[in-house]
Amino acid sequence: MSIFRTKNLDDMVAASRKPGGLAKVLGPFDLILMGIGAIVGTGIFVLTGTGALTAGPALTISFVIAAIACGFAALCYAEFASSVPVAGSIYTYSYATLGEVVAWMIGWDLLLEYGLATSAVSVGWSGYLQSLVASVGYRLPVELTAAPGAVPGVSTWFNLPALLIMLVLTAMLSLGVRESARVNNIMVAIKIGVVLLFIAVGVGHVEPSNWRPYAPFGATGIMSAAALVFFAFIGFDAVTSAAEEVKRPERDLPIGIIGSLAACAVLYVVVSAIMTGIVPYQKFLGVDHPVTLALEYAGENWVARFVNLGAILGMTTVILVMAYGQTRIIFAMSRDGLLPKKLSEVHPKHHTPFFATWMVGLIFGGIAALVPLNVLTELINIGTLAAFCLVSVAVIVLRKKRPDLHRAFRCPGVPVIPALAVVMCLALMSFLAWFTWMAFLVWLAIGLVVYFGYARHHSVLNKAPPAGVPAK
């Protein structure tokens, strides 16, 4: 069936190397910091408190479970990214293995996931900035501090800081990936320094009695928290979106993917252990700055101010990398004809998808300004878990279809490791709320309408001559 037509891997790689495309400027260090930049942010500075209320001190186990699920998927991503160094991440991999309609649906899914992630983190960024500014005696007009209806009983128009940070980072991304990577590397170094400062100062204030009982809500609480804090690891897959702009993708992409995930997993486990060791987990109820609360609880107010700064920088890099990943997926889908061609035009000077970058910034900056945070976060996890399932299946399929393909990095234990990734991701999905499933299915249904109404007919493969017929 034509909806399951696949792209030729060799043609994809050859097309990505044509002159006038994306500039190849990134190395392994850039990729590791890009991954850390996308991962360390809202998860460590906000979700640790919410996760502690769900799992208690056993939040550390929840982080380990989420990290293992991501780790299995990361090995699959690393094999694909090193073998097919083309922009588009799981969308591109699915197109080469599972067929056009599957690729379209996962690309459609990721457009929403990455976009809502940037919007949600922008809202969180705005909250931390307003808190930091208020601590030195300044406040924005209340009408400009939040989306309409976000604060009960308060008349607000829109979230100005959330919109502004999206526009600033959009401008940076549109001017060049090398420049964006340099800024990201600096901010990541600072925020990792802040996290290490928290660990160094906080470990001396741990009271082991706060870890008892360790798992007050049992296995259900641990798994529910794992499904929640899974969001904290979203971002390492954005590294694969940079595949077409990496100098030596065969070596550097696996290093960037696995290295960033491993570093962040260790940081999350250590920070959550220290945090719940300082503060009884019940006291995180209604708190959106749990790390700062732990330091204030310990009487280390001067460190708390640095953590606020680190949270702002941490969320800035998350927005930057997630917006980057989304624009590259749009670029790949447009180049394949599934989205309008304007979205894959590369700026002659900056070598970036200029129009697509600004479209993303304006649309999701507007969403960040006008939609409350609780609405934004509902769909993010389920779509990413679905993507991880697909990339794991795709590795098994490609091993069967193209055993001759050169693989600079091979996922170990195929098909066992990919199968475990699918099982763990499905298990985490089962702990998500029913309304999340409903909203996800509605979005996918809209995607099917768009595919059959536009994308299928405009696909480059649809216009290609059948096998054995010379092109005109």
Side-chain angles (χ1 to χ4, degrees):
M1 295 176 63
S2 62
I3 62 172
F4 291 107
R5 55 198 170 202
T6 57
K7 292 190 69 176
N8 183 280
L9 286 174
D10 300 319
D11 291 345
M12 292 165 63
V13 175
S16 71
R17 294 172 177 169
K18 289 182 179 179
L22 301 174
K24 298 184 182 297
V25 295
L26 301 176
F29 185 69
D30 296 316
L31 294 174
I32 290 176
L33 291 186
M34 182 182 289
I36 295 175
I39 298 171
V40 177
T42 307
I44 201 167
F45 294 113
V46 178
L47 286 183
T48 43
T50 308
L53 289 169
T54 306
L59 175 62
T60 51
I61 299 178
S62 301
F63 272 118
V64 170
I65 292 171
I68 291 173
C70 288
F72 288 150
L75 292 171
C76 299
Y77 267 104
E79 174 168 325
F80 259 117
S82 62
S83 307
V84 191
V86 179
S89 187
I90 177 57
Y91 157 75
T92 299
Y93 311 149
S94 298
Y95 211 157
T97 54
L98 303 176
E100 183 176 276
V101 68
V102 177
W104 162 264
M105 293 305 293
I106 200 61
W108 180 255
D109 166 41
L110 291 178
L111 293 185
L112 181 69
E113 301 309 314
Y114 277 42
L116 291 186
T118 59
S119 298
V121 179
S122 296
V123 175
W125 183 95
S126 173
Y128 266 93
L129 179 70
Q130 291 179 51
S131 175
L132 186 63
V133 170
S135 70
V136 294
Y138 294 95
R139 292 185 183 275
L140 283 174
V142 67
E143 294 84 359
L144 306 180
T145 59
V151 184
V154 179
S155 177
T156 52
W157 298 345
F158 63 92
N159 194 325
L160 179 62
L163 174 61
L164 291 178
I165 188 59
M166 281 292 291
L167 295 182
V168 168
L169 295 180
T170 297
M172 185 185 304
L173 284 170
S174 68
L175 294 178
V177 66
R178 187 199 304 271
E179 293 74 13
S180 301
R182 287 172 179 168
V183 173
N184 177 72
N185 293 353
I186 294 170
M187 289 192 290
V188 169
I190 294 173
K191 75 174 177 181
I192 293 302
V194 168
V195 173
L196 294 177
L197 177 63
F198 166 78
I199 293 172
V201 173
V203 70
H205 295 280
V206 169
E207 292 291 340
S209 59
N210 289 330
W211 289 333
R212 296 190 292 267
Y214 186 67
F217 308 107
T220 300
I222 292 172
M223 290 301 296
S224 296
L228 172 70
V229 302
F230 180 85
F231 175 78
F233 290 99
I234 295 174
F236 77 85
D237 54 317
V239 172
T240 63
S241 300
E244 210 164 308
E245 294 158 277
V246 178
K247 297 174 185 176
R248 290 177 289 181
E250 295 83 3
R251 185 200 70 170
D252 297 347
L253 281 166
I255 293 174
I257 295 168
I258 299 170
S260 60
L261 179 62
C264 292
V266 172
L267 287 177
Y268 279 162
V269 170
V270 173
V271 167
S272 59
I274 292 175
M275 198 183 71
T276 54
I278 297 175
V279 182
Y281 72 88
Q282 302 92 333
K283 294 187 180 295
F284 290 113
L285 182 64
V287 174
D288 59 3
H289 54 287
V291 178
T292 302
L293 174 67
L295 290 168
E296 292 171 347
Y297 202 84
E300 301 286 358
N301 293 321
W302 68 275
V303 183
R305 296 189 185 94
F306 282 105
V307 169
N308 279 335
L309 177 61
I312 291 171
L313 292 177
M315 293 182 187
T316 301
T317 61
V318 173
I319 301 166
L320 182 69
V321 178
M322 297 300 278
Y324 169 85
Q326 187 186 31
T327 59
R328 270 41 181 188
I329 291 172
I330 291 173
F331 172 85
M333 295 176 74
S334 170
R335 187 167 59 184
D336 293 333
L338 303 183
L339 290 175
K341 282 296 182 184
K342 182 71 175 176
L343 297 173
S344 57
E345 290 182 359
V346 176
H347 194 283
K349 178 181 178 181
H350 304 303
H351 301 287
T352 61
F354 198 85
F355 180 81
T357 301
W358 274 104
M359 185 192 74
V360 166
L362 291 171
I363 291 175
F364 289 99
I367 290 175
L370 298 172
V371 182
L373 180 61
N374 64 313
V375 177
L376 291 172
T377 55
E378 291 175 355
L379 280 171
I380 298 172
N381 276 2
I382 191 168
T384 306
L385 285 163
F388 286 4
C389 288
L390 271 181
V391 78
S392 302
V393 171
V395 163
I396 299 174
V397 172
L398 191 61
R399 286 282 186 98
K400 296 293 184 180
K401 292 178 66 174
R402 287 293 305 273
D404 60 308
L405 181 68
H406 172 67
R407 294 168 171 85
F409 176 88
R410 296 177 67 89
C411 173
V414 175
V416 176
I417 293 298
L420 287 174
V422 173
V423 169
M424 292 196 70
C425 288
L426 290 175
L428 291 175
M429 291 170 74
S430 70
F431 282 88
L432 296 173
W434 68 269
F435 60 83
T436 303
W437 279 91
M438 289 300 298
F440 179 62
L441 293 175
V442 168
W443 178 252
L444 293 184
I446 296 172
L448 281 174
V449 172
V450 177
Y451 175 74
F452 285 104
Y454 175 89
R456 182 185 179 189
H457 306 292
H458 290 81
S459 167
V460 171
L461 288 188
N462 188 53
K463 299 175 184 178
V469 178
K472 295 182 179 179

